Amino acid sequence: MAYSQLIDLPATSAEAQAAVAELRAKLAPDVVSTEPLDLMARAHDASHFLLTPKAVVTARSAQDVAQAFAAARANGLPVTLRSGGTSLSGQAGGDGILIDVRQNFRRVDIVESGERVIAGPGATIRSVNARLHRFGRKLGPDPASEIACTVGGVVANNSSGMACGTEFNTYQTLESMVLVLPSGTVLDTGAPDANDQLRTKEPELFAGLIALRDRVRSNPHSVERIRHLFSMKNTMGYGINSFLDHNEPVKILEHLVIGSEGTLGFVAQATFRTVPVAPHIATGLFVFPRVTDATDALEALLASGAKTLELMDARSLQVVQPDVAADNPLSTLAIKDHTALLVELQEMSAEALAQAGEVMAKTVSTLPLDLPVEFTSDSRKRAELWHVRKGLYTTVAGARPVGTTPLLEDIVVPVGALSNTVESLGTIFTANGYDDAVVFGHAKDGNVHFMINPHLDDPAELATFERFTDELVDLILDNDGSLKAEHGTGRVMAPFVRRQYGDELYEVMRELKRLCDPSNMLNPGVIIEDNPRAHVENIKIMPGVQPKVDACVECGYCEPTCPSKDVAVTPRQRIALMRTMEVATPALKAELEKAFNYEAIDLCAADSLCVTSCPVKIDTGKVMKSLRAERAPRIAQIAGNIAAKNWDKAGVAVRAGLGVGQHINPAVVATTKALRKVLPTELVPAAGKDLPGPGSKRPTGHVGGANVRGVFFPSCISAMFAPERGEDGLLKGVDEALISLCTSAGVGLNIPQDINSLCCTTVWQSKGLVDGLRTMSEMVFDSVWKASKGGLLPIISDAASCTHGLFDVGDKLTGVRAEQFKTLRFVDAITFAREEILPNVNVTEKLESVALHPTCSMVHMGIVGDLQSVAAAVADDVVVPDDWGCCAFAGDRGMLHPELTASATKAESREIREREEARKAQGLGSDGRFTAYASGNRTCEMGMSRATERPYVHILQVLESRVTSTKG
């Protein structure tokens, strides 16, 4: 498709140049970026708006933010604060200075045994809840985007969610905050003298808040309007219910900042009161003939103890029906006007849940249901039911036409008006041609979401969207609702704030903005906006670039798991840049392509963890590998194929090289550094003192006991690199350890005779060497097919990435080989140890503790639990760091790009040090150290050893050292 206007960087003004120069002088050059790739990547968030910043500041502290405020204010530039970038209404993008407050603000501190938690704005809700989980607590707000949305966004948008309602949302559960005002004033609202500090430091603001409080309270109409709107979920405009709920100016300000979408100040730290996790849950799907039947049942269901009531209209049910399990009656229902409610009971004890179930059963018997209801506490069945609800977004967004924009909007009305609203929405959808629209949401709150997929790059469709928005506004306000329940006002509803609240309360909001931000520096155009067409300006287009990524909705769910997120770009940004280059001017495209090669392609660990969190299942890692293949010169493909055909000789050469590497001296290190400056870093690994020596040639033939239980496929990385043998130097290598364990357990394994000529193919996949990949895939299959006796025996590998790589061998096979491959079973050695070895051996003298590093391959294979089980068999205390993530060593990537691994392991290694300090204070371990540090992949162990300066080994090495005999 040809686009009428190509994207280019906005012209740089003298004011912007002055602000950037001032920031670089006050902060540090690497904290401020004006690189086109950085600006274009960060122009994208989860909304359908696109504003390109003039500079990006990666703030390190609240003081950095205050300095950025000062520079922007002095030079008349707007400022936008960006954390997770999951907001849907346009409040996370701006065309001035964009301040990243995610990267260096992720700290989480649990206090009072989980009763409270202190978190930075960059911490995701999932990471906070992971730390609270061991105390049986969680945050009150429960947004669906918890995997990626951050504390900063949750506060800025007054987030709620499926279950918390208005009782446990951010407004109700936030206890205090550290606030940076536009003036630069830093205020801890939890300090005993916070109110006095505000009076002293900001006297005009202090007095103005009192005046606004009294103005609101003295107007009966204002009080009535506020009470009504905030009796529902409501994130439209400012949280002016603060003027009614609080007396002290500091508390009024604190609660006004909640939901202010970055327009009043920066929340550098937030303290929350937490809520208990209800461990006993039962879920059921209620299918009604019509929407009115469902909404009429809400009062009875709530009275019967329902904590969650998720509504899905008929179109929603039609969309998800093909994916429903065959044994679910919904799979065969002839859906017409049906509406479903996903109902959940949550209780603190099994007894309470049983009692709630009895009450609910009586209510169910009175309802006009078209399908029987089964309440279940089975985790698998509950997951299937929730997939019906959560799969909606995935299915609709993933199947939308290329080039369309997925718009997920939300509104709220009084529960009594819900039926009319849903039915009227259907009429409006039809009138505007949105026949694929789906409606779903939180019925107990009168809060529904809908999704449409317009072509916003088409002027006619943009005009239709503008008309649709006007009709939507009429509908919601006529039903006395709010135009935004959860997603925030942003830019999409800012032109309608005055209409929802009326002139008087809108003027109160304008005065509030003036008091806090006199120069209108923070996020102008968000919440307060007098341009009636602002919601259809600065629209982002989503051109098709590649079928494997075109479904991307730019939600950002992939970003927290991405190992390159703090050193380069993220999966979302990689795709956003691909889209930008598709519609960029030739000059901008050339500049972006040059930077993209390094930032996006070279620095992608290609671990594919992104696909595990992507709602539309895009594997950006695999896409980056395909781009490596496209740019690889023909000579590289030929060399890769030769290496595959002669892998036994290549292994000898690598081991010989590592033998020389054992004698690395400063001159060798300096030489590799010099070569990396003039040759592509993709070709020259960085030599370092921590590079292991050579491993040993892989064994062949029969090993272990007489009872053959599988085919052993020893990994070549364990053969290339010498094993870490622990601090005492006594541990066996992983292949030796597995063979020893099998001998102790009476379990036999057969190793292919040609194993030293084979590899799991991961190296060719990672580098995009498709010819060698095909050759090695065929060689591996032919060997393991024979060794496994035609698929009768499982194939076991002793490195998780290699086991995972073997799963993908079939992708390059054709014909009979491809069909036969489907019958093969690949098992990681850790799983094999749990299933076949642990039941048959004795483990004595368990270790005091072990710190684990799960690998990304373990996540893909679903065997992290097996790693923990094996570790629990050998140690009393098993610890997986909360900040665990992919180490990004990724075979040789940690040697080619050590900056990637250093960044990816930073948080986990810091947590290991902090845990060791805590253990030391408790008198545990030797100087607080864990007894062992373990993983399940040699290169990952190398990466973690480098990051932590602790000897990471394979968990089977640890297990073997504790096994003394076979069970009798």
Side-chain angles (χ1 to χ4, degrees):
M1 177 178 179
Y3 290 90
S4 58
Q5 187 171 355
L6 297 180
I7 292 177
D8 201 356
L9 281 174
T12 302
S13 64
E15 292 81 6
Q17 291 176 334
V20 168
E22 183 178 339
L23 284 167
R24 284 179 170 150
K26 288 183 176 179
L27 302 177
D30 61 344
V31 172
V32 184
S33 177
T34 56
E35 292 296 321
L37 181 136
D38 290 333
L39 303 184
M40 301 310 298
R42 286 161 177 79
H44 290 250
D45 67 352
S47 78
H48 57 281
F49 294 94
L50 185 74
L51 293 97
T52 305
K54 293 179 174 60
V56 174
V57 175
T58 305
R60 301 160 299 181
S61 64
Q63 289 68 36
D64 277 3
V65 174
Q67 294 273 28
F69 283 0
R73 189 172 60 252
N75 293 282
L77 284 184
V79 169
T80 298
L81 300 158
R82 164 76 69 83
S83 188
T86 60
S87 297
L88 296 166
S89 299
Q91 59 267 60
D95 58 2
I97 296 176
L98 187 81
I99 306 179
D100 178 349
V101 292
R102 175 171 62 176
Q103 180 171 324
N104 297 308
F105 293 86
R106 297 190 181 113
R107 186 172 183 86
V108 178
D109 292 304
I110 307 298
V111 293
E112 298 177 21
S113 298
E115 295 285 330
R116 284 170 175 73
V117 61
I118 303 169
T124 65
I125 302 309
R126 177 170 290 187
S127 70
V128 176
N129 283 337
R131 289 161 171 79
L132 288 169
H133 181 73
R134 53 182 169 267
F135 299 98
R137 311 286 295 184
K138 65 176 182 177
L139 289 172
D142 58 339
S145 57
E146 51 85 33
I147 190 174
C149 72
T150 62
V151 166
V154 161
V155 174
N157 293 301
N158 187 23
S159 295
S160 49
M162 293 185 181
C164 77
T166 57
E167 184 180 2
F168 299 112
N169 63 9
T170 309
Y171 183 90
Q172 296 295 349
T173 58
L174 188 136
E175 186 168 276
S176 66
M177 64 177 62
V178 174
L179 176 64
V180 181
L181 292 169
S183 63
T185 294
V186 179
L187 182 69
D188 182 353
T189 66
D193 62 342
N195 203 53
D196 292 335
Q197 285 189 45
L198 180 62
R199 179 190 292 113
T200 301
K201 295 178 179 179
E202 300 281 347
E204 183 181 352
L205 174 58
F206 186 91
L209 289 170
I210 293 174
L212 286 178
R213 178 197 67 190
D214 294 345
R215 174 178 171 178
V216 169
R217 291 181 176 183
S218 64
N219 186 321
H221 177 75
S222 293
V223 172
E224 180 184 1
R225 186 68 181 147
I226 290 171
R227 291 295 188 210
H228 168 71
L229 286 172
F230 288 94
S231 67
M232 305 176 287
K233 288 183 177 180
N234 177 26
T235 59
M236 187 73 170
Y238 289 115
I240 52 177
N241 53 326
S242 306
F243 290 121
L244 304 182
D245 297 340
H246 300 278
N247 292 314
E248 285 189 337
V250 73
K251 282 299 174 184
I252 293 173
L253 176 62
E254 173 188 272
H255 285 79
L256 285 166
V257 168
I258 298 170
S260 65
E261 303 176 31
T263 64
L264 301 182
F266 165 55
V267 178
Q269 179 180 287
T271 300
F272 290 87
R273 296 179 298 275
T274 64
V275 299
V277 173
H280 299 275
I281 303 173
T283 311
L285 186 68
F286 293 46
V287 180
F288 297 86
R290 294 171 298 278
V291 64
T292 51
D293 296 318
T295 54
D296 288 347
L298 291 175
E299 185 176 351
L301 291 170
L302 285 169
S304 299
K307 296 297 191 294
T308 299
L309 288 164
E310 291 295 296
L311 179 143
M312 291 166 280
D313 73 347
R315 176 59 183 154
S316 298
L317 294 176
Q318 290 168 347
V319 165
V320 299
Q321 190 177 42
D323 294 328
V324 171
D327 60 351
N328 188 323
L330 180 61
S331 65
T332 56
L333 179 68
I335 299 171
K336 295 179 181 178
D337 300 320
H338 293 84
T339 296
L341 292 175
L342 186 65
V343 182
E344 192 158 87
L345 302 173
Q346 302 172 0
E347 299 293 343
M348 297 304 295
S349 69
E351 294 77 15
L353 182 63
Q355 292 173 4
E358 291 174 3
V359 173
M360 182 59 72
K362 294 178 182 178
T363 301
V364 170
S365 66
T366 68
L367 300 177
L369 298 170
D370 272 8
L371 293 178
V373 173
E374 177 193 359
F375 263 96
T376 179
S377 294
D378 178 83
S379 58
R380 182 187 62 82
K381 291 183 178 180
R382 287 188 58 246
E384 289 177 357
L385 289 174
W386 273 107
H387 179 71
V388 173
R389 163 63 175 86
K390 294 184 177 181
L392 268 172
Y393 183 74
T394 301
T395 304
V396 176
R400 75 186 194 279
V402 174
T404 58
T405 299
L407 295 185
L408 181 62
E409 296 294 346
D410 82 313
I411 52 87
V412 62
V413 294
V415 173
L418 189 58
S419 296
N420 176 63
T421 302
V422 173
E423 290 180 335
S424 298
L425 271 174
T427 301
I428 296 175
F429 291 146
T430 301
N432 289 282
Y434 298 141
D435 298 324
D436 59 349
V438 294
V439 178
F440 53 96
H442 319 313
K444 74 183 181 69
D445 302 308
N447 170 205
V448 295
H449 303 261
F450 61 85
M451 186 171 178
I452 56 177
N453 298 307
H455 266 287
L456 293 182
D457 54 296
D458 182 333
E461 289 209 35
L462 185 61
T464 297
F465 174 67
E466 185 173 10
R467 182 177 65 250
F468 164 78
T469 301
D470 289 339
E471 293 172 3
L472 173 70
V473 170
D474 289 343
L475 171 65
I476 302 309
L477 297 186
D478 286 350
N479 281 280
D480 216 5
S482 173
L483 297 169
K484 281 295 169 185
E486 297 184 315
H487 297 171
T489 310
R491 301 177 187 280
V492 73
M493 283 298 165
F496 305 99
V497 173
R498 180 189 291 272
R499 184 171 167 192
Q500 177 168 310
Y501 281 90
D503 290 342
E504 165 60 14
L505 289 178
Y506 187 68
E507 289 306 315
V508 167
M509 293 183 188
R510 290 177 66 92
E511 176 62 11
L512 169 64
K513 172 68 171 173
R514 187 197 67 76
L515 285 168
C516 291
D517 184 19
S519 61
N520 195 28
M521 173 185 69
L522 292 184
N523 241 5
V526 171
I527 297 183
I528 302 298
E529 175 58 84
D530 292 329
N531 176 2
R533 301 193 71 249
H535 59 300
V536 289
E537 297 175 357
N538 299 305
I539 298 297
K540 176 170 68 181
I541 59 176
M542 304 183 90
V545 292
Q546 189 182 114
K548 292 180 180 178
V549 304
D550 286 339
C552 176
V553 296
E554 299 188 9
C555 62
Y557 288 14
C558 55
E559 293 189 335
T561 63
C562 179
S564 67
K565 61 181 176 293
D566 291 339
V567 70
V569 291
T570 66
R572 167 169 61 177
Q573 292 169 344
R574 288 178 169 92
I575 295 172
L577 288 166
M578 291 170 71
R579 287 171 168 166
T580 300
M581 290 186 287
E582 182 70 18
V583 293
T585 61
L588 176 60
K589 181 178 181 179
E591 194 160 0
L592 289 177
E593 284 179 338
K594 182 179 179 181
F596 189 86
N597 268 315
Y598 171 70
E599 296 260 358
I601 301 177
D602 290 352
L603 289 189
C604 178
D607 64 352
S608 295
L609 279 183
C610 47
V611 75
T612 66
S613 51
C614 175
V616 291
K617 299 305 175 187
I618 295 172
D619 188 342
T620 311
K622 188 170 286 187
V623 172
M624 292 303 106
K625 286 189 281 190
S626 72
L627 295 181
R628 289 173 190 166
E630 289 177 10
R631 74 179 186 182
R634 185 60 196 156
I635 187 66
Q637 296 289 359
I638 293 171
N641 200 24
I642 292 172
K645 293 177 179 179
N646 299 276
W647 192 239
D648 52 344
K649 298 180 181 66
V652 171
V654 170
R655 286 194 294 275
L658 289 170
V660 173
Q662 279 188 293
H663 307 288
I664 283 176
N665 56 51
V668 175
V669 174
T671 299
T672 61
K673 284 185 177 179
L675 287 172
R676 285 168 63 80
K677 290 181 180 179
V678 296
L679 294 174
T681 54
E682 284 289 288
L683 298 179
V684 184
K689 294 180 180 180
D690 59 353
L691 192 66
S696 303
K697 195 172 182 179
R698 289 176 279 180
T700 60
H702 177 82
V703 295
N707 181 19
V708 176
R709 301 292 294 164
V711 174
F712 183 22
F713 194 101
S715 67
C716 47
I717 57 173
S718 295
M720 289 179 181
F721 298 111
E724 168 61 59
R725 298 192 181 276
E727 294 191 281
D728 58 8
L730 299 178
L731 293 180
K732 294 178 180 178
V734 62
D735 53 352
E736 301 173 281
L738 179 58
I739 293 170
S740 174
L741 286 166
C742 286
T743 301
S744 296
V747 172
L749 296 173
N750 292 332
I751 304 175
Q753 291 296 330
D754 57 350
I755 189 65
N756 285 290
S757 298
L758 303 177
C759 172
C760 68
T761 74
T762 298
V763 62
W764 288 271
Q765 290 185 51
S766 177
K767 294 184 177 299
L769 301 174
V770 293
D771 294 344
L773 173 60
R774 186 175 298 106
T775 295
M776 182 56 74
S777 296
E778 292 174 353
M779 291 168 59
V780 167
F781 170 77
D782 290 344
S783 180
V784 300
W785 178 255
K786 179 181 177 181
S788 67
K789 300 180 181 179
L792 293 178
L793 295 172
I795 298 106
I796 299 105
S797 185
D798 57 2
S801 65
C802 297
T803 310
H804 188 218
L806 290 170
F807 278 95
D808 294 333
V809 165
D811 293 346
K812 293 301 177 181
L813 301 177
T814 58
V816 175
R817 280 188 176 117
E819 289 303 310
Q820 291 175 334
F821 180 84
K822 296 175 183 178
T823 67
L824 296 179
R825 179 184 174 221
F826 297 98
V827 179
D828 190 75
I830 295 172
T831 301
F832 186 76
R834 182 186 66 78
E835 294 175 346
E836 299 286 350
I837 294 174
L838 280 179
N840 297 303
V841 297
N842 287 317
V843 177
T844 59
E845 297 184 41
K846 290 176 72 173
L847 303 177
E848 180 267 328
S849 60
V850 59
L852 295 180
H853 171 76
T855 72
C856 44
S857 294
M858 293 179 191
V859 173
H860 287 298
M861 294 185 291
I863 66 168
V864 174
D866 291 338
L867 173 69
Q868 292 172 299
S869 295
V870 174
V874 296
D876 292 320
D877 185 21
V878 177
V879 172
V880 177
D882 294 320
D883 282 326
W884 166 82
C886 173
C887 69
F889 211 88
D892 61 359
R893 201 130 300 262
M895 293 182 285
L896 296 172
H897 298 287
E899 67 275 26
L900 175 60
T901 293
S903 177
T905 56
K906 184 177 180 181
E908 185 175 357
S909 59
R910 180 176 58 240
E911 184 179 343
I912 288 290
R913 291 193 299 271
E914 290 174 351
R915 284 179 178 267
E916 289 178 344
E917 287 297 320
R919 285 169 52 81
K920 181 178 179 180
Q922 298 169 33
L924 297 174
S926 173
D927 204 30
R929 288 193 177 198
F930 292 91
T931 317
Y933 301 80
S935 187
N937 201 79
R938 184 68 186 103
T939 51
C940 297
E941 293 152 20
M942 290 162 56
M944 288 306 300
S945 295
R946 173 186 291 178
T948 63
E949 298 182 338
R950 300 290 183 264
Y952 274 78
V953 299
H954 197 290
I955 190 63
L956 294 192
Q957 294 176 261
V958 181
L959 175 62
E960 194 279 335
S961 72
R962 314 316 294 175
V963 168
T964 58
S965 62
T966 306
K967 284 186 178 178

